Amino acid sequence: VLTAPARAHVGASPAFLAAETTETISLQVHNDRGIPMSSFQVAAPAELRIEEARERTGWTSSTDGRIATWSGGSVPGNEAVSFELTLRASTKPGAVALEAEQGYSDGEVFPWPVPITVVPADEASSAGYVWGLAIAGLVLVGLAGLVVWRRRA
């Protein structure tokens, strides 16, 4: 079961990762304020490890395995930006949440939970297979409809 992203100012894509695997997640961050966002930080719960905070042009990134930080850049008001990090799930399937913080040039910090679902490893790897079967089924239904239509003509 996959969860839908929460309506918030920080969303994850994908919002799931397989247990006992490593996955790169993109965090979409929207600055709703009329002043620049000057920092972004993500803290992982004990069930996840941040393997890498990917560099972003104009920003300095760092991680200690639990916290990823981007600083030195700027996101203008009412604009969005994406930050990428690589997570390792060392937990059983279930819901967990990253804790994100948007920092602003006036010193204010706004926290946001970012829900992540850890799925069984076999479910994540079979997701493409399931979509393939669904598409194949639609094609077969379409072909059957075409055959019926041609027989009536």
Side-chain angles (χ1 to χ4, degrees), residues 53-102:
R54 298 248 174 122
E55 291 291 327
R56 175 159 184 80
T57 303
W59 294 79
T60 301
S61 67
S62 65
T63 185
D64 66 4
R66 175 148 156 47
I67 297 173
T69 304
W70 290 266
S71 60
S74 182
V75 178
N78 300 311
E79 289 194 18
V81 67
S82 292
F83 295 96
E84 290 186 348
L85 57 111
T86 303
L87 296 174
R88 172 121 183 113
S90 59
T91 185
K92 295 178 183 172
V96 295
L98 300 170
E99 293 298 325
E101 291 184 349
Q102 291 175 270

Side-chain angles (χ1 to χ4, degrees), residues 33 35-36 38 103-110:
R33 299 188 69 207
I35 63 172
S38 56
Y104 290 90
S105 58
D106 65 358
E108 286 204 64
V109 174
F110 290 91

Side-chain angles (χ1 to χ4, degrees), residues 3-18:
T3 61
R7 289 180 98 356
H9 297 274
V10 179
S13 178
F16 66 92
L17 68 149

